[in-house]
Amino acid sequence: MRYLISGGGTGGHIFPAVSIANALKELDPDAQILFIGALGRMEMERVPQAGYKIVGLPVRGFNRAQPWKNISVLADLAKSIRQVKKIIRDFRPDVGVGVGGYASGAAMWAAARMGIPILLQEQNGFAGVTNKILKNKAAKICVAYEGMERFFPADKIILTGNPVRQNLLQGERKKVKGERTLLIIGGSLGARTINNAIKAALPTLAASDIHVVWQTGKIYFDSCKAAWEAAGSPANIECLDFLSDMPDRYAQADLVISRAGASSISEICLLGKPAILVPSPNVAEDHQTHNAMALVRKDAAVLVKDADAAEQLIPTALELIQDDARLKTLHTNVLTLAQRDSAKRIAEEVIALAKQKQ
């Protein structure tokens, strides 16, 4: 079987794509897999690191602020589609898998036009533009949230969840008896609003009896570390740019503060972690708020708006982390939203499409 996988631009697209590829290899060891990405985007580095071949397209996003600049964007899109058609003729895939992003749009549109069945994977609770455009061409659409019928044909939807790092479930809970741990994660790049709220509250956190693990992200680490040192380098607060031992850190946490990206929410659900979600306002169509609200409506997480984080985030966290009954309710409810073995389930759907085609 030959599988064409396309998408990228962000880790939220790349990680599911690689996870699906790994699951395909487990189920079909002889599978041949080729990725298509966008030149200059992070998938061109991350996919080869995962052991897969990738071809880059000159495709770019549309400039909504300056529409007159889109003539060259359209030219690159046309060039990309021609390139994909040649790739398909040479590679002869049985199925195309699109996970969102600029390259996914060009690749999956061309594949569908050439008679290749395509499967889409939508990570968020508010569908991305690329997947909405491709919905009528897709044979199957794997989603992570209920209620996606408002974006996609109901008969094509399969609720699979988002692939997460499988080793997350292997973490060890190492902590001092009676000590509560607050885990603050802003993604690999960090979250400015969350970091600013922590910096302002360092004296309060230092005086508390909780253990704080503060992952700042690489961009903000120097300023956060300086603020931590200025506060006297409090021993109960770990200030780190990156966490290489996420399974153990999650296992240790009584409460998590996080952005509401699709991957983070899927991990929180799988692990049953009580969480305060601070959706980023700097994402397309405010999809992180939609992601967060899917949990909040089930009483499975607490929402603090980005604009309110400076005043509300730390007081909310300090109150919640001491409330055993509330933590138990959030833990119980968020576990019910977990989707397990997502990558394998998606891979099984892809293989079924390939067999139908053959």
Side-chain angles (χ1 to χ4, degrees), residues 21-278:
N22 291 342
L24 285 169
K25 275 291 194 182
E26 286 185 21
L27 295 171
D28 180 8
D30 295 326
Q32 294 189 47
I33 297 172
L34 177 65
F35 278 77
I36 293 181
L39 290 170
R41 307 289 286 188
M42 62 190 299
E43 60 264 28
M44 300 306 296
E45 180 180 345
R46 297 289 178 85
V47 169
Q49 287 174 352
Y52 295 101
K53 182 180 178 182
I54 186 168
V55 179
L57 304 177
V59 66
R60 295 176 286 144
F62 284 93
N63 190 327
R64 299 178 186 181
Q66 299 171 304
W68 61 89
K69 292 188 175 181
N70 287 325
I71 295 174
S72 62
V73 175
L74 288 169
D76 283 340
L77 176 60
K79 181 179 178 182
S80 296
I81 290 173
R82 289 195 300 272
Q83 190 174 337
V84 172
K85 288 180 177 179
K86 183 179 185 306
I87 291 168
I88 290 172
R89 285 193 293 269
D90 292 341
F91 184 62
R92 304 189 312 280
D94 293 293
V95 180
V97 180
V99 299
Y102 308 138
S104 178
M108 293 302 106
W109 187 87
R113 286 292 297 267
M114 296 178 73
I116 308 299
I118 66 170
L119 177 145
L120 304 178
Q121 198 253 335
E122 176 55 60
Q123 298 93 34
N124 295 295
F126 193 94
V129 173
T130 298
N131 284 345
K132 284 191 286 188
I133 291 171
L134 293 167
K135 64 183 180 182
N136 292 325
K137 296 184 181 298
K140 297 289 183 182
I141 304 173
C142 295
V143 302
Y145 293 93
E146 296 175 349
M148 297 301 283
E149 295 84 1
R150 58 198 171 123
F151 303 110
F152 304 126
D155 61 332
K156 296 182 178 183
I157 293 175
I158 305 167
L159 183 63
T160 59
N162 286 319
V164 301
R165 293 169 282 191
Q166 292 305 305
N167 67 340
L168 286 179
L169 292 167
Q170 300 165 6
E172 294 184 29
R173 186 176 174 86
K174 301 174 183 175
K175 59 189 302 179
V176 178
K177 185 178 179 181
E179 184 181 75
R180 310 258 168 153
T181 296
L182 174 63
L183 173 62
I184 303 159
I185 47 178
S188 58
L189 298 179
R192 182 174 59 187
T193 302
I194 294 175
N195 284 332
N196 286 343
I198 304 305
K199 284 194 284 189
L202 280 172
T204 302
L205 290 170
S208 73
D209 59 353
I210 66 171
H211 175 214
V212 179
V213 179
W214 179 20
Q215 185 251 317
T216 66
K218 295 178 181 178
I219 294 175
Y220 303 104
F221 178 66
D222 289 342
S223 64
C224 292
K225 184 74 178 293
W228 177 77
E229 290 173 346
S233 305
N236 67 320
I237 301 174
E238 293 184 68
C239 181
L240 304 159
D241 65 335
F242 179 74
L243 299 176
S244 58
D245 53 349
M246 278 303 297
D248 290 345
R249 297 296 188 169
Y250 266 129
Q252 186 181 21
D254 296 285
L255 178 65
V256 177
I257 292 175
S258 174
R259 285 300 200 193
S263 295
S264 296
I265 285 192
S266 294
E267 292 174 355
I268 286 166
C269 291
L270 185 67
L271 297 169
K273 287 297 170 181
I276 299 174
L277 301 174
V278 188

Side-chain angles (χ1 to χ4, degrees), residues 298-329:
K298 302 274 188 178
D299 196 22
V302 173
L303 174 71
V304 172
K305 293 181 179 178
D306 190 84
D308 298 332
E311 293 183 2
Q312 296 181 13
L313 183 56
I314 298 309
T316 301
L318 290 175
E319 180 180 353
L320 179 56
I321 202 168
Q322 302 293 350
D323 188 339
D324 288 339
R326 187 80 182 108
L327 290 175
K328 185 175 180 180
T329 297

